Amino acid sequence: MEVLPSIIACDFTKLREEIKSIEECNLKYIHLDVMDGHFVDNLTFGMPIVCAIRSMTALILDTHLMIKNPSKYLLKFYECSNIVDVHIELGKEAFECIKISRENGYSIGIVINPETDPKYALPFLEDIEQVIVMTVNPGFAGQEMIEEVLWKLDFLNEIRIKNSLSFKITVDGGVNFKNLEKLKKMNVDRVVMGKAFFSLSYEERKRYF
Ligand code: DX5
Ligand code: ZN
């Protein structure tokens, strides 16, 4: 199972060291939570920071867009990200992003909020990089995992097997060292880890990963 540190929870005064520490743990990805204060009730960062991080590392950048009109900015985010994830709750906007990314041969992920039925993702599961199952309401790092939504993991895995699909299943929100084992057993391919990763010292990170 791959662990994707979510940069939202890092010490931004030490951004370069934080990125280096992810590399030193031999992890492959950085997860970047872009929030616009409209789709979610928080503001984080946009293209300048994602592009700055791109210039600092060759790690795979997974950019999770929590913004109202992602199609408008999608190609710009692909200039500095390897994967871009959009919320299925946005309906037409999400469909448009999936279309644009397919036409351009880019990797796209679909994100499902805790209250959203995963059946809405079903028409799009072919040729996507990943489905991100949100296990917190998006907006903030450091929340408790909502375990009631974990049934979606079995649901998606069954569909994946039945239809010989290759999308990855990713869990985002409240992942820590206590629930990690459980997620491993549930055929999760990737987990996003914000607070639990960045609250470790650099030495502890190296020991755990
Ligand atoms: C929530 C974000 C997550 C979150 C992860 O809106 O999508 O990526 O910040 O942080 P933790 O692991 O602390 O819940
Ligand atoms: Zn995220």
Side-chain angles (χ1 to χ4, degrees), residues 3 30 36 63 66 68 104 112 122 132-133 149 178 189:
V3 173
I30 303 180
D36 68 351
T63 298
M66 284 159 274
K68 253 197 169 164
N104 289 278
I112 308 172
L122 295 185
I132 301 185
V133 174
V149 303
K178 279 188 203 142
D189 303 290

Side-chain angles (χ1 to χ4, degrees), residues 42-96:
N42 195 11
L43 268 170
T44 54
F45 49 80
M47 256 101 65
I49 300 290
V50 181
C51 292
I53 293 175
R54 170 78 299 158
S55 72
M56 284 188 247
T57 184
L59 291 171
I60 300 168
L61 300 190
D62 175 40
T63 298
H64 175 186
L65 295 183
M66 284 159 274
I67 61 177
K68 253 197 169 164
N69 39 5
S71 69
K72 191 172 165 191
Y73 305 101
L74 192 70
L75 291 175
K76 281 276 161 213
F77 278 107
Y78 275 120
E79 285 176 17
C80 45
S81 319
N82 303 89
I83 308 165
V84 177
D85 311 295
V86 292
H87 274 260
I88 199 74
E89 294 80 17
L90 288 168
K92 270 191 184 167
E93 261 295 309
F95 312 153
E96 182 61 18

Side-chain angles (χ1 to χ4, degrees), residues 50 62 179 187 197:
V50 181
D62 175 40
N179 53 34
N187 294 304
F197 181 87

Side-chain angles (χ1 to χ4, degrees), residues 31 33 64 66 172:
H31 182 84
D33 289 306
H64 175 186
M66 284 159 274
D172 185 5

